[in-house]
Amino acid sequence: MLDDAVEAASRGDLRPASAVLADSRGDPETRSLRVEALSRTAVGASRSIEALLAHDQGNPDLWLWLGRTRLEEAWELRPDVRARAVQADRLHAYRSAMDQARQPLLAAAGLAPGDPVPWECLMWLAIGLDRPRPDKDAVWYECSRRWPALYSGALARLITLSPGWGGSAQEMLGFARSAAAHAPEGSPLPALVPMAHFEIVAAGRTPMSRGGWFSFEAQRDIVSAAGHWAERRIGGAHPRSVEAHNVFGAAFYLSDLRRPARGHLARTGGRFSRLPWSHLGDPAQQYRRACARLNL
């Protein structure tokens, strides 16, 4: 359903996307995945979503989609941190575009009070605008109290706590390990542990290279987390299982642990996730290179 809706949206037909989002009500994990994929597809087409909303003001799906699309459009404008001093105009445009996502997301939250996904999106907004820590904590509270195990919400929290965004490695790792230890059966939350190690290394090195990514202690932490993730789950695979396989697969690949790397990447079905591959360069290119080197 999502593949078909993404393909249609890329052609300018937004109706299947609207139906796919409506179908996800009451299932936050699926809803989060769908709105993320559809919003990235709709970058540059937020006006078309506004046109749909003009005829359906009470639709929480369309407000959520509009808010997340504006968020993704804003990220496209974000200036390189090393060049911000000479990109004041671009920084202003970025912040202005980012702030335009707030009202639609708050509208979505108001129309669907039990839905954590608008709050997850507001977490990314708080990160993008570099809001004070109490503001970030408050939005995380609203998201987590509605759906404590939401993978995408926990990932946003992990990034909030990361050294690259003003947090600390110790606090971030503590959060990741706690989330992994208390993950519900079948939840891919253990993948936050290797994701935390990626964030730690990424904060301290540029550009990325394959050699020397993880210390022995970090590798042991990642192996332990992988052992805690049992993908089996009532109702089928978790919507974020492919993403988790990408995270573990990339971590094992960079650690030269070929067998577990192949095991995880073979289960991605040819689909790559933006994180963690973007830490190495172009995500699609890095994913395909890893698969080729592992004879997948």
Side-chain angles (χ1 to χ4, degrees):
M1 287 177 65
L2 180 56
D3 282 341
D4 291 344
V6 165
E7 184 180 352
S10 67
R11 299 193 310 265
D13 181 3
L14 306 187
R15 291 169 299 175
S18 181
V20 158
L21 289 174
D23 182 70
S24 71
R25 294 181 187 179
D27 184 354
E29 298 285 3
T30 298
R31 189 169 179 79
S32 172
L33 177 67
R34 289 181 179 181
V35 75
E36 178 183 297
L38 291 167
S39 297
R40 289 176 178 174
T41 302
V43 165
S46 56
R47 293 287 180 88
S48 298
I49 305 174
E50 292 174 22
L52 290 178
L53 265 167
H55 304 286
D56 196 2
Q57 288 283 313
N59 189 325
D61 311 317
L62 293 178
W63 283 114
L64 176 62
W65 191 16
L66 175 61
R68 183 60 186 255
T69 300
R70 286 182 176 176
L71 203 60
E72 297 293 338
E73 289 174 340
W75 280 115
E76 296 286 319
L77 299 174
R78 183 170 181 262
D80 189 301
V81 67
R82 293 163 297 182
R84 283 188 179 179
V86 295
Q87 295 191 33
D89 290 344
R90 187 177 175 90
L91 179 60
H92 176 75
Y94 159 73
R95 294 182 67 86
S96 177
M98 184 70 67
D99 204 48
Q100 289 179 29
R102 187 189 313 277
Q103 185 273 332
L105 293 173
L106 289 175
L111 290 165
D115 187 3
V117 181
W119 296 100
E120 175 226 325
C121 297
L122 286 164
M123 291 173 68
W124 292 113
L125 178 69
I127 291 170
L129 291 176
D130 197 21
R131 299 296 301 160
R133 177 63 182 271
D135 290 359
K136 296 175 180 176
D137 291 348
V139 185
W140 163 239
Y141 170 76
E142 295 296 339
C143 179
S144 61
R145 77 181 182 89
R146 286 169 170 80
W147 199 267
L150 184 65
Y151 178 84
S152 52
L155 177 61
R157 181 61 174 175
L158 183 88
I159 301 302
T160 298
L161 301 176
S162 69
W165 291 95
S168 69
Q170 183 178 10
E171 186 177 16
M172 179 179 59
L173 272 174
F175 171 77
R177 289 166 178 157
S178 177
H182 297 96
E185 183 176 1
S187 169
L189 284 171
L192 294 181
V193 173
M195 195 68 249
H197 285 290
F198 269 108
E199 291 297 318
I200 291 170
V201 177
R205 61 188 291 178
T206 301
M208 302 302 167
S209 62
R210 186 167 175 236
W213 259 82
F214 302 119
S215 66
F216 175 75
E217 291 76 14
Q219 291 181 33
R220 186 170 56 187
D221 204 18
I222 294 166
V223 169
S224 176
H228 280 101
W229 180 33
E231 192 180 2
R232 291 184 301 277
R233 173 176 176 263
I234 295 175
H238 191 282
R240 295 283 181 171
S241 61
V242 168
E243 189 169 329
H245 282 304
N246 270 274
V247 177
F248 278 116
F252 286 131
Y253 164 70
L254 292 169
S255 301
D256 286 321
L257 297 171
R258 291 179 62 87
R259 178 176 290 183
R262 291 186 87 254
H264 282 285
L265 292 181
R267 297 166 80 177
T268 61
R271 298 174 186 265
F272 66 90
S273 55
R274 185 174 295 183
L275 288 172
W277 298 107
S278 58
H279 286 312
L280 282 74
D282 177 77
Q285 183 181 22
Q286 295 299 325
Y287 168 80
R288 295 187 188 114
R289 178 180 297 172
C291 289
R293 287 179 174 172
L294 294 167
N295 298 317
L296 288 171

